[in-house]
Amino acid sequence: MKNIKDILLENNNEDTARYFEVVKSKLPELQTLFINKLEISLKECSETEYWLELIFRKGKMSEVAYNDLRNKCGSIRRRLIASITTAKENT
């Protein structure tokens, strides 16, 4: 089964060429939007860590649950930071 890219390349018409030029011209803009969304996600992750700590300190969450969720947030945060760094290097 052929993928859409192969089908479009086979046609090799002006519409296909124009489409790829439009996509290519928007790549920097799309990359910037992608980085912005990753940075927003990183802020949300930090805010989630804050709320988890607050809930734990108020005694509304067990230490086991808190540690588990904090570790998961930390893992997500590290992945987001690595993704942002890589995306910025490739810009």
Side-chain angles (χ1 to χ4, degrees):
M1 178 178 233
K2 294 180 182 181
N3 64 36
I4 189 85
K5 179 181 171 190
D6 293 335
I7 293 168
L8 290 174
L9 289 176
E10 275 181 11
N11 290 336
N12 199 18
N13 59 31
E14 285 184 32
D15 290 337
T16 303
R18 238 177 285 142
Y19 170 77
F20 283 117
E21 286 302 313
V22 169
V23 169
K24 187 176 170 183
S25 71
K26 291 188 182 262
L27 284 178
E29 179 183 329
L30 295 174
Q31 186 74 0
T32 301
L33 289 172
F34 178 67
I35 292 169
N36 287 341
K37 289 188 182 295
L38 288 174
E39 289 174 338
I40 290 168
S41 298
L42 182 59
K43 289 176 186 176
E44 292 290 336
C45 186
S46 295
E47 185 177 339
T48 299
E49 288 176 307
Y50 165 78
W51 284 107
L52 286 172
E53 183 178 350
L54 186 65
I55 292 167
F56 172 67
R57 286 186 178 189
K58 295 287 184 179
K60 304 292 183 184
M61 180 186 297
S62 72
E63 186 172 357
V64 172
Y66 170 68
N67 287 333
D68 179 54
L69 292 171
R70 187 184 61 177
N71 288 337
K72 287 178 182 175
C73 275
S75 177
I76 292 167
R77 184 176 19 81
R78 287 187 294 279
R79 289 177 185 168
L80 286 168
I81 290 168
S83 296
I84 291 167
T85 302
T86 301
K88 285 182 177 180
E89 288 172 356
N90 294 330
T91 303

